Amino acid sequence: MPSKSIKSTPSLRSSTKVHPQSSVKSDTQALVLNGNEPAVQQEPGTTPGTRPTSSAKQDAYTEALKRSLMESQIERDFLSGAALSRYNTGVEDHNLFSANTSTLSERMLTITTGFSFATTATAEGREIEDIEAEDFQEFRIETATDKMKVNLTDDLVVSLTPRDDGKPGINASWQSITEIRTDIFESRIAEKCAWFDLSGNSLKFDCYAGESNVLGTVKSRKLTPGQVPDMWSSFQSLEDLTFGQSCSEESTCKRGNLLRNIPTSIFTLKTLKILSFSSNNLQEIPAEVANLVNLERLSLDDNELLEFQPALLELPKLKLLDLDNNSLEHVDLTTLPRTLRCLRLKGNNISHISLLPCKNSLYQLDLSCNNLKNVDSIAFKCLVKLKYFDLSSNVIEKVPGTIGKLENLRKLYLDDNMLETLNPSICLLQKLNVLNLSENSLSELPPEIGNLSCLRELHVENNELENLPGELDRITRLLTLCLSGNKLVAIPPVIARLSYLRDLLLFNNKIRKLDMTLLAPCQNLVVLGLAMNRIKVIPAEIAQLESVRIIQLDGNRLTTIPDGISEVKTLKYLSLCNNRIEYIPDSLSTLSNLVGLLMDGNSLTEVPTSIGQLKNLRVLSVRQNYIETIPESISLLVNIELMDICDNRLTRLPTTISEFNEQVEFKTSNNQLTLPPQQVADKGIISIKAFLEAHGDAAEVESVQSEFETTAI
């Protein structure tokens, strides 16, 4: 069985964009109350409702006003922000979170009152001056959180900044943080903070459940190096807490922190909706996780979890649970919360899954890269709402007939298993768009496959197919058909009746003839892949493919390129590597849209002068041939980005090569160059241009070459 590989799945994370911190506002500010003035102790001899006259009382009055503003319901309403952002599940036309979002354009409110106060900066300090208002007027209140700052570490000062949805929070990701001071947990920022991103640092928390945890009572401003304070209960408004995240499925920048356990105070955060511990060192999840009654998204992927915590399924509002890439062996799914839409268990050691409850709302289930041999037939009956199901890279030998009950399924991945036959019940999935059966041992497809009328992609690479059923032509809208790595000796006749086909991949079969009578009807064909077959001739009728953009015929037995290929005006990429072609015809220069021409490993002795007419060519690779000269017209390739002429018999380059842009990647190794010397050419285009500008004369070149040889000796 082929080695297992981690397969890309739709990404479920949404990126969090953090606005830069607001610029510091001027000293002259406007402060207005929503309602009555703050209650201050009345100075004897003054009229109720007027402010005191002494300087000390003015300062007291100012501070009382500020406290009232900070504690007012106005600010709480303002900081509450908008609804939770959307998170795409990867399932077509479905959003897990459908609440609308909004953006607050200003960090101030306009309040209508019957009076106002203005602050003016003076040498002695701020003084509050009365403004008589005859009518109701609009005034602005600056939120007190704009100026809140606190030390997160000894070297890093943070403050609240608004996110796209207007909610204030702290972005401390990728700051090389190894420890956190307790200041932030004791500040007013903790009360106002709605989101906190600490991903990509080196934070630790090693206290196990049951041990005495004294971190929350530490009097020193510093803790043990690397430790996270267990004081999170002070974050009363926190909705989104991130200790780890993955930049994307394709990238390698996955990194969380170094946490082995979760600080227990986090489980007191009743407002928490999003919690991420991706890419840490977690070894267990305590049962207290069930206390997070408002949690909607929990990411625990890329950790060291050995056991599944049943309490995870008691979270009443959970919509997404990510447990990818841990070491789980058994998962009990008998009590799924009805709100759960997406469950990811990819890359574990699961060999068995307990029965799924029939009342569930799962839209996406990923069980790829595990050790599943059989899938319980009852489980399929209970997944009636499922749209995305990934069972790839397991050891499944048979699919139960109840799979036909998944009436809403759009994408099904069964690749890299041990299937020898395909259960016809799969063909009952009338809404299926993508079916991947690659990397199995299928010798045939059932004729019922023609019932999949909505199918757009069919992947059956690396099986043992010798033909395709004629009923496949009933899938009239099939766009992608991948048949590489099978035992086909000819192009299946049914191909001619798939008029909507866009991508046809037939790599690594035993096809001997490029039968254009079968391909010509495919007028929507864009990609034609026939590499690693036994084709000897490209028929002139290939010109009938009026829409094709990519032709791959590498690793065949071709000796010539027909002039007919120059009639395929839509062609952008032509790959003919590892054949027996002896020359490039001038007719190829008429392909004005050609972007890439790859002819490595042939029997070419020259590059034609007409190559310069390919004005849009960006990639030219002719390595491992017998080429002795490159024409001066090569400089006319004004859009070239990569030119590879390695492993040929070149002795000199055309002087016009100096006209190339310095950004061109020019590869010349393993030739016999004297102009410029091979040692110079191997350093790239900048070195070549410098040499040609300084030593353009042939006699001088020979002298320089002699010096190079003497130095080498």
Side-chain angles (χ1 to χ4, degrees):
M1 176 180 172
S3 60
K4 295 182 180 180
S5 58
I6 303 297
K7 196 172 68 61
S8 176
T9 55
S11 175
L12 302 176
R13 302 175 176 86
S14 67
S15 60
T16 302
K17 184 186 293 184
V18 182
H19 290 299
Q21 183 177 344
S22 302
S23 58
V24 179
K25 297 178 175 59
S26 62
D27 289 334
T28 303
Q29 310 284 350
L31 291 173
V32 178
L33 295 179
N34 183 23
N36 295 323
E37 303 176 41
V40 295
Q41 187 174 355
Q42 189 67 33
E43 181 72 10
T46 59
T47 304
T50 63
R51 70 178 171 87
T53 56
S54 68
S55 178
K57 297 303 181 182
Q58 289 173 2
D59 293 340
Y61 190 86
T62 302
E63 291 303 317
L65 178 62
K66 290 180 178 179
R67 285 196 303 273
S68 177
L69 176 60
M70 291 171 63
E71 296 170 358
S72 67
Q73 185 61 38
I74 296 173
E75 184 181 327
R76 291 185 182 276
D77 292 342
F78 172 72
L79 290 173
S80 65
L84 186 64
S85 300
R86 298 184 179 187
Y87 287 86
N88 193 299
T89 65
V91 179
E92 187 177 357
D93 297 329
H94 174 68
N95 286 314
L96 285 179
F97 299 87
S98 58
N100 293 327
T101 62
S102 63
T103 302
L104 298 175
S105 60
E106 296 181 292
R107 298 280 296 163
M108 55 186 69
L109 291 176
T110 301
I111 310 294
T112 302
T113 62
F115 56 90
S116 69
F117 301 92
T119 62
T120 305
T122 65
E124 294 77 21
R126 291 182 183 272
E127 294 184 354
I128 301 179
E129 299 181 352
D130 290 326
I131 297 178
E132 299 295 336
E134 297 180 358
D135 302 311
F136 289 108
Q137 300 178 27
E138 293 184 346
F139 300 92
R140 298 182 296 183
I141 292 184
E142 179 192 2
T143 60
T145 54
D146 281 339
K147 290 192 174 182
M148 289 185 186
K149 293 183 179 180
V150 68
N151 277 82
L152 184 64
T153 68
D154 288 345
D155 302 319
L156 181 62
V157 177
V158 297
S159 61
L160 295 178
T161 55
R163 198 166 54 180
D164 281 350
D165 57 6
K167 295 186 178 182
I170 300 170
N171 181 11
S173 62
W174 298 92
Q175 298 293 325
S176 301
I177 299 172
T178 58
E179 58 184 291
I180 297 178
R181 292 166 57 115
T182 59
D183 303 52
I184 193 165
F185 299 93
E186 300 166 352
S187 70
R188 297 193 66 82
I189 282 184
E191 299 179 14
K192 309 297 181 183
C193 186
W195 57 271
F196 201 163
D197 189 347
L198 284 161
S199 59
N201 290 294
S202 300
L203 295 168
K204 298 178 181 178
F205 186 79
D206 298 329
C207 294
Y208 288 92
E211 292 185 7
S212 177
N213 184 0
V214 297
L215 293 177
T217 60
V218 172
K219 295 181 180 180
S220 170
R221 292 299 177 187
K222 285 188 176 181
L223 299 168
T224 304
Q227 289 286 338
V228 176
D230 197 0
M231 303 169 64
W232 291 93
S233 56
S234 59
F235 281 78
Q236 299 290 325
S237 303
L238 196 63
E239 296 181 2
D240 185 343
L241 178 59
T242 301
F243 278 98
Q245 66 180 31
S246 305
C247 299
S248 72
E249 289 293 327
E250 294 76 19
S251 72
T252 57
C253 67
K254 273 191 174 184
R255 182 179 167 188
N257 280 276
L258 304 173
L259 276 69
R260 295 176 61 193
N261 289 86
I262 301 175
T264 54
S265 59
I266 288 178
F267 301 127
T268 67
L269 302 176
K270 303 297 184 181
T271 57
L272 205 59
K273 294 182 179 179
I274 301 172
L275 180 59
S276 174
F277 286 100
S278 300
S279 303
N280 276 272
N281 300 323
L282 297 181
Q283 297 178 343
E284 62 179 353
I285 305 298
E288 288 82 357
V289 70
N291 295 333
L292 301 175
V293 293
N294 286 301
L295 196 65
E296 297 180 354
R297 187 171 190 259
L298 178 57
S299 299
L300 298 168
D301 49 302
D302 292 286
N303 280 283
E304 301 173 4
L305 300 175
L306 296 173
E307 295 183 3
F308 181 77
Q309 173 56 261
L312 291 171
L313 302 179
E314 297 176 13
L315 296 167
K317 295 185 179 181
L318 191 64
K319 296 181 179 180
L320 181 148
L321 176 58
D322 191 344
L323 288 161
D324 283 352
N325 302 320
N326 281 281
S327 300
L328 303 174
E329 295 184 359
H330 177 74
V331 178
D332 184 354
L333 301 178
T334 55
T335 57
L336 284 181
R338 291 193 180 186
T339 56
L340 192 63
R341 299 290 186 271
C342 176
L343 178 58
R344 304 187 66 187
L345 291 161
K346 168 185 172 182
N348 283 278
N349 298 318
I350 300 171
S351 58
H352 178 71
I353 291 185
S354 298
L355 300 182
L356 292 159
C358 284
K359 293 183 179 180
N360 67 75
S361 300
L362 273 181
Y363 285 177
Q364 178 173 344
L365 178 58
D366 190 345
L367 291 166
S368 61
C369 304
N370 279 285
N371 294 318
L372 290 171
K373 185 174 182 179
N374 296 300
V375 182
D376 198 305
S377 60
I378 299 178
F380 285 119
K381 293 181 179 180
C382 300
L383 296 170
V384 293
K385 294 184 178 180
L386 204 62
K387 294 184 177 181
Y388 177 102
F389 197 8
D390 194 341
L391 287 164
S392 63
S393 299
N394 280 282
V395 288
I396 298 172
E397 297 177 351
K398 188 179 297 185
V399 177
T402 51
I403 193 171
K405 300 291 185 180
L406 307 182
E407 56 188 30
N408 289 298
L409 200 62
R410 305 299 201 274
K411 297 181 180 181
L412 176 60
Y413 296 91
L414 287 165
D415 47 300
D416 192 14
N417 277 286
M418 301 179 69
L419 298 174
E420 295 184 358
T421 59
L422 187 64
N423 195 315
S425 296
I426 288 180
C427 304
L428 298 175
L429 305 175
Q430 293 296 308
K431 295 181 180 180
L432 200 64
N433 299 143
V434 177
L435 176 59
N436 195 330
L437 301 167
S438 304
E439 304 284 348
N440 281 285
S441 300
L442 299 172
S443 57
E444 63 178 2
L445 296 178
E448 292 87 351
I449 198 166
N451 296 333
L452 299 175
S453 57
C454 290
L455 201 64
R456 298 294 178 266
E457 295 182 24
L458 176 59
H459 299 262
V460 283
E461 303 99 316
N462 299 321
N463 279 279
E464 299 177 9
L465 300 177
E466 296 181 359
N467 209 333
L468 294 179
E471 290 81 0
L472 197 67
D473 62 1
R474 287 154 54 189
I475 310 177
T476 57
R477 301 271 177 174
L478 190 65
L479 301 176
T480 299
L481 179 57
C482 300
L483 296 164
S484 302
N486 281 283
K487 296 181 178 180
L488 302 172
V489 296
I491 297 175
V494 70
I495 299 294
R497 302 192 294 277
L498 300 174
S499 58
Y500 279 87
L501 200 61
R502 185 184 61 190
D503 307 321
L504 177 60
L505 301 182
L506 291 158
F507 301 141
N508 194 23
N509 278 282
K510 301 177 181 179
I511 299 172
R512 298 178 180 275
K513 182 181 179 182
L514 191 56
D515 193 341
M516 290 308 303
T517 60
L518 300 176
L519 295 177
C522 301
Q523 287 301 301
N524 292 296
L525 199 63
V526 173
V527 178
L528 176 59
L530 281 159
M532 301 184 69
N533 279 282
R534 302 177 183 180
I535 299 170
K536 295 182 178 181
V537 177
I538 301 176
E541 291 80 7
I542 198 169
Q544 297 175 18
L545 298 178
E546 298 179 354
S547 300
V548 73
R549 297 179 186 177
I550 300 173
I551 295 178
Q552 297 168 287
L553 283 164
D554 313 80
N556 279 280
R557 302 175 183 179
L558 303 172
T559 56
T560 59
I561 303 175
D563 290 339
I565 207 167
S566 64
E567 299 299 321
V568 187
K569 301 302 181 183
T570 56
L571 193 61
K572 288 191 172 184
Y573 295 92
L574 177 60
S575 187
L576 299 169
C577 300
N578 300 316
N579 281 283
R580 303 169 186 175
I581 300 170
E582 297 180 355
Y583 68 95
I584 300 174
D586 290 335
S587 59
L588 212 62
S589 63
T590 63
L591 293 173
S592 58
N593 291 311
L594 198 65
V595 172
L597 177 59
L598 310 178
M599 296 197 65
D600 302 343
N602 279 282
S603 301
L604 303 175
T605 57
E606 65 176 1
V607 175
T609 302
S610 58
I611 198 78
Q613 298 178 36
L614 297 173
K615 303 297 184 182
N616 290 309
L617 198 66
R618 297 205 299 263
V619 178
L620 174 61
S621 185
V622 290
R623 66 185 303 154
Q624 295 179 347
N625 279 281
Y626 305 98
I627 298 172
E628 298 179 354
T629 61
I630 298 291
E632 297 281 336
S633 62
I634 204 76
S635 62
L636 299 176
L637 300 176
V638 293
N639 289 303
I640 198 73
E641 297 175 5
L642 169 63
M643 182 178 292
D644 191 341
I645 55 175
C646 299
D647 299 295
N648 279 285
R649 297 179 178 179
L650 295 165
T651 57
R652 58 179 57 202
L653 298 177
T655 56
T656 55
I657 207 79
S658 61
E659 299 176 20
F660 274 175
N661 188 296
E662 292 185 356
Q663 303 300 318
V664 173
E665 187 176 357
F666 193 52
K667 299 182 178 182
T668 63
S669 62
N670 295 328
N671 279 284
Q672 302 168 16
L673 292 171
T674 59
L675 176 60
Q678 188 70 55
Q679 298 95 321
V680 173
D682 289 348
K683 295 179 181 179
I685 190 64
I686 295 177
S687 179
I688 293 171
K689 292 178 70 171
F691 179 87
L692 292 177
E693 290 172 2
H695 308 286
D697 184 75
E700 187 174 358
V701 168
E702 291 180 2
S703 174
V704 173
Q705 173 64 14
S706 178
E707 292 180 12
F708 266 92
E709 292 174 352
T710 302
T711 303
I713 293 173

